[in-house]
Amino acid sequence: MLDRKEVLRYLGCRTENALLERMAVQAEKLVLQAAAPVHVFRRTAIRVEDDTTHVGTTALVSRDLAAHLNGCREVYLLALTLGPGIDRLIRRSEVADPPMVPVLQACAAVYTEFCADEIQKSLEAQAGRCGLYLRPRYSPGYGDFSLENQRFFFDSLEITKRIGVFLTDSFLMIPCKSITAVLGLSEKGTQCHVGKCMSCKLNKCPFRK
């Protein structure tokens, strides 16, 4: 079952709402039926210099990404999608049941994060067996890491060929519930972790909930 509180948070609901909760129960069932999660990842060497992360012959210019990967010599590149069924479900609801659309969107977003978290746990276990620590996910669109960098992920992971996700001219992904991310591998642990947001002083950190 999806985290119901997280679904309601995506909907901007901060108090008990019986109607939204009933809709969320129904939407969750529909999303889980329609979704077909698939992913692809690759481990690769990197070199961080100033505000640039070098991955092979590609230079990713982002001060925030470089700071996040400081101390890392390798990363995992990751792409994940819930598949086209979610898009079809939302299109049908736009005609048949418009009020359900934002609830479906919220449930699909939470399920996307759940799937990504499960993959991250698996990669973290792999890293641990090598004596390494895994940094949290960092995606295009976070901080100054431009969405234009989506093209790098698509080329590096052959995303369209391998999991059927397409990139638009405005760097949005189709199916819509798809993500790309980089996860740093470090020889030392890091204090930046999604579970410690409430005690963290970095108010602009993209991992803050």
Side-chain angles (χ1 to χ4, degrees):
M1 186 176 73
L2 301 180
D3 186 335
R4 197 65 46 72
K5 290 183 179 179
E6 190 70 0
V7 172
L8 295 176
R9 185 181 74 85
Y10 269 85
L11 290 166
C13 181
R14 299 182 179 276
T15 59
E16 291 187 8
N17 187 310
L19 174 59
L20 272 183
E21 290 186 10
R22 288 196 299 271
M23 293 174 72
V25 170
Q26 181 183 355
E28 178 182 319
K29 292 179 181 178
L30 294 172
V31 164
L32 294 180
Q33 290 172 358
V38 290
H39 71 277
V40 61
F41 68 88
R42 180 167 71 89
R43 183 172 171 175
T44 187
I46 65 164
R47 178 169 50 87
V48 178
E49 290 184 347
D50 299 325
D51 62 351
T52 302
T53 302
H54 298 273
V55 187
T57 59
T58 300
L60 303 175
V61 180
S62 164
R63 183 184 301 106
D64 295 331
L65 177 65
H68 182 68
L69 296 178
N70 184 40
C72 297
R73 296 182 180 180
E74 292 182 285
V75 296
Y76 284 111
L77 302 176
L78 170 68
L80 159 73
T81 183
L82 295 189
I86 298 296
D87 290 38
R88 291 194 292 266
L89 172 64
I90 291 172
R91 285 196 297 269
R92 289 196 302 269
S93 296
E94 287 173 345
V95 176
D97 191 3
M100 183 62 82
V101 171
V103 190
L104 291 169
Q105 292 274 17
C107 283
V110 171
Y111 189 39
T112 303
E113 290 300 310
F114 170 82
C115 292
D117 287 343
E118 291 300 300
I119 296 167
Q120 185 166 322
K121 290 176 185 177
S122 176
L123 296 178
E124 188 170 27
Q126 289 186 30
R129 289 192 289 271
C130 299
L132 298 172
Y133 296 89
L134 192 69
R135 300 280 175 90
R137 299 188 299 276
Y138 206 94
S139 297
Y142 287 177
D144 67 350
F145 190 32
S146 169
L147 279 176
E148 294 180 5
N149 290 296
Q150 293 285 28
R151 176 53 60 194
F152 162 73
F153 285 88
F154 272 73
D155 291 342
S156 296
L157 294 174
E158 298 183 302
I159 292 174
T160 300
K161 177 181 178 181
R162 299 180 69 182
I163 60 173
V165 178
F166 296 85
L167 191 64
T168 70
D169 291 340
S170 54
F171 305 104
L172 299 178
M173 289 182 282
I174 301 173
C176 64
K177 289 301 178 275
S178 305
I179 65 168
T180 59
V182 56
L183 303 92
L185 286 162
S186 173
E187 294 179 355
K188 296 182 180 180
T190 173
Q191 293 182 350
C192 181
H193 188 275
V194 291
K196 299 181 179 179
C197 290
M198 298 308 295
S199 62
C200 180
K201 302 295 184 182
L202 298 176
N203 294 324
K204 294 183 179 180
C205 176
F207 303 111
R208 178 176 290 274
K209 292 188 177 182

